[in-house]
Amino acid sequence: MVARRFGFAVRLSPSFRRVGLGSSLLLGSLGAYADAPSAVDLRCEYLVNPLGLDAAHPRLTWRLQDTSRGASQKAYQIVVGTDSLRVSQGKGTVWNPGKTASDQQRITYAGAALRPFTKYFWRVQVWDGASAPVSRVASFETGLMTMKNWQGTWISDTRDVALRPAPYFRKGFGVAKKIKSARAYIAAAGLYELFLNGQRIGNHRLDPLYTRFDRRTLYVTYDVTSYLKAGQNAVGVLLGNGWYNHQSTAVWYFHEAPWRNRPTFCLDLRVTYTDGSVETITSGSDWKTSLGPIVFNSIYTAEHYDARLEQPGWSTAAFNDAQWKPVMNRAAPSQNIVAQAVHPIRNVETIPAKTIKKLNDTTYVFDLGRNIAGVSQIRVQGTGGTVLRLKHGERVYPDGHVDQSNIDVHYRPTDKRDPFQTDVFTLSGKGEETFKPAFNYKGFQYVEVTSSRPVVLTTTSLTGYFMHNDVPAVGAVTSSNPTLNKIWQATNNSYLSNFFGYPTDCPQREKNGWTGDAHIAVETGLYNFDGITVYEKWLADHRDEQQPNGVLPSIIPSNGWGYEWGNGPDWTSTIALIPWNIYLFYGDTKLLADCYGNIKRYVDHINEQSPSGLTSWGLGDWVPVKSKSPVELTSSTYYYTDALILAKAAKLLGKSADHTYYAALAEKIRNAINAKYLNRETAQYGNGVQTELSVPLYWGVVPPELKSRVADNLARRVAADNYHLDVGLLGTKAILNALSENGHADLAYRVASQETFPSWGWWIVNGATTLYENWPIDAKSDISMNHIMFGEIGAWLYKGLGGIRPDPLQPGFKNTLLAPHFVAGLDHFEASHASPYGLIKSAWQKTATGISYAVTVPPNATATLVLPLSQGQRVYEGGKQLDLGSPYIHLVKSTPGFKEYHLAAGTYQLAIR
């Protein structure tokens, strides 16, 4: 099986496909570049040929495809125009700034003002020496760009937020001329599915993405040219509640959200004819509405569907809507209607049921064989009026029934009409019927189907769909340790299960955007997936939610809950940590610039509240194994990190006074932490437990002259804990990195690969296919079985074993820092990452004579390679000792136990012996 991403072929290994992370994933070796140099993988706003952009100055990116050693870009020329043929010929009528001597591979459009509703074509020519390869022509298309360009009216069917059935909307219209192109622009408060002439448009799920609806509302653009026909047509919209009209009740009071209302939408269907004329079919008072077979839908609980209420052909031109009612006009939910420029949520993977167990004539339990986020689809035949209840859960009781006791603890139902994670499907009796929810998703492995009358089901009757933002995979890990491989796979499964337009904590019990969980897992996400579009959307949610004094809620988006509990620098440091990591991984300062004022207000607020430099605002080391660390120590460390990021951002953005001020503030915080918690004589922090030692080490609080001693104390502490974890959420982020970065990589691997309690491997050997919320698998509370909060290990595999890190001085992997660790107990390891410049690979294998090490540095980039060497060992390539000189590898520094090299672009096979 071969997939193509980022301009090079990727072969998916059978073992990885069984993991089931979706067709968009890049695994195995991530493939090889084609031989001919060229500019490839052209993207606009990090999307391939996007539609409906609002950006006035979109970012254009590409990669240099060149397998030769030392390959680099010497210059480029961008051409942008509205005529694809002229652009292919190098003639740009919109922007043609000429040849630019630069190795930059991301530029911001700076041509003539972009017009709405316009398709632009672009290409790039790059000079890499003697040759000047030219890319294929790519495109991007603008949307409405400003709210004044909307023509449609916001419409709904009622203001009754308690009305349970989902509404249909439709309008018939004629097409009298030959169509050149057609675009549908639809914005909604709630969720929608769009139909034209009886066909559902697109393959997105749960659009638009969740935002603070009264401050920012998203619209999506579709190319609907092929769905229209000459003569009579019909457009239809089905609306769901989503987070806008939350009818289920839970501890977070979603049902009391300040924006809450009956779902509403606005549609412009813009048709361009071959004669140049344009006609726009809009939502308005001439539409009609009716209730349909979705008799209840909740993003939090489930969906109820009565097939007897179906109206076949409701979105076709021939349908008789005489019994339908007029719509009502509504005000726009916000004054900020903007494009959703994000990799959308999709049904990324289809998962057949692995087994079925018949408990009696009316009860069956299906097992997918793995834990996912998404929905199930059932195919069944039965008597009309038969009611099927599909109860979804992560585990089963000893008697075989589905057990929800680990995931329904925060649900507060007012009656029994809305059971948790339980779809209700009423049959029409018209042959074989199929049901799959439209406006809900769940976290589950098992589905218990109970029918009011006996029905016959088989293993093929039920199918699972793994849903998440369809972010392309950019990372792969494999090793000689099967448990380690499964940990990586389970981490990715949990990461994707919690990526639904914003990073969530779990896909079943909460679906909340817990900030702490998200920043702990951000590096894991960025090493493995191209998630920048989702993170940029989510940081806009942060900006929407921040109070004027700088305070952020602990869950984002929020209905108002979370400003009073769970926030603080150890959680809501997302406002600084996410933009900083995007900068490191992509080399792009836009998100830092967009959030700069927000980071500043946040840091200033803590400074005002805690002038000493120490703060106890926060949750602390959440869900520890046994030892508790002072909240003041961990929260102050995150406060220090935020201030330091702010200082660095100020320098990058040319704010010299801010840089000086916040660098001094960061140092003040650091000194305050060390003055209170560091015993300089013993090199111990606090009581010397794992979190107390690893957090200051990892985040750079420890004075340089004491780092090795503090690290040695941490190593002794881990040994005293029987080489197992004794940390919570914050300690998990730090522990493995603090060890491997400070001379104890063997010990870090020993901890990471444990298979007894408490460890990641303990979950795996007990059947986990995702990460858990708590270390004991029999915990009585906090035991969701699909949480990402302990997911830093997914990033550590790249850093601590493969040694792949972005260089803060040359971010976006323009220069890669490579420091592999050939740890005891592991025979081989390989990590690959598709960076903005191309494939980075770090793969090592132990041999009879030493180490075989393969490394790939992408074109137009370099690497700093630090290799650990034993006494008397040397490094060779092709039988030649590297220290004797190489055109593309230069020895930079040699110290006892290490040698540092500078590598030009290319692929190298080194031997250490």
Side-chain angles (χ1 to χ4, degrees), residues 164-168 191-193 195 200 205-206 238-242 247-248 292-307 310 374-378 387-392 404 411 417-426 434-442 447 467 511:
R164 292 166 65 89
Y168 283 148
L191 299 171
Y192 70 85
E193 288 190 346
F195 297 82
R200 183 177 182 273
R205 297 298 310 279
L206 304 180
L238 173 62
L239 283 186
N241 288 320
Q247 295 175 320
S248 302
I294 299 179
V295 294
F296 175 77
N297 68 98
S298 167
I299 189 71
Y300 182 62
T301 57
E303 190 162 301
H304 306 173
Y305 188 94
D306 190 338
E310 290 177 344
V375 294
S376 63
Q377 175 180 281
I378 192 165
V387 178
L388 275 65
R389 296 165 67 91
L390 290 79
K391 181 179 181 179
H392 299 70
Q404 291 185 341
Y411 183 35
R417 294 186 302 162
D418 181 15
F420 189 66
Q421 289 216 150
T422 303
D423 293 324
V424 180
F425 178 33
T426 303
T434 301
F435 166 70
K436 179 174 64 177
F439 300 126
N440 168 263
Y441 77 97
K442 309 166 190 72
V447 183
M467 292 167 56
K511 298 182 173 76

Side-chain angles (χ1 to χ4, degrees), residues 252 503 505 510 512-518 538 554-555 561 565-566 571:
W252 305 280
D505 59 331
E510 298 193 31
N512 280 327
W514 280 97
T515 48
D517 304 46
W538 193 48
S554 51
I555 60 170
W561 189 94
W565 188 87
W571 247 246

Side-chain angles (χ1 to χ4, degrees), residues 4-8 26 33 40-41 43 63 472-474 530 834:
R4 288 193 175 270
R5 295 281 177 176
F6 306 109
F8 43 83
L26 291 184
Y33 295 114
V40 298
D41 191 28
R43 297 191 178 204
R63 299 174 195 252
V474 294
D530 180 20

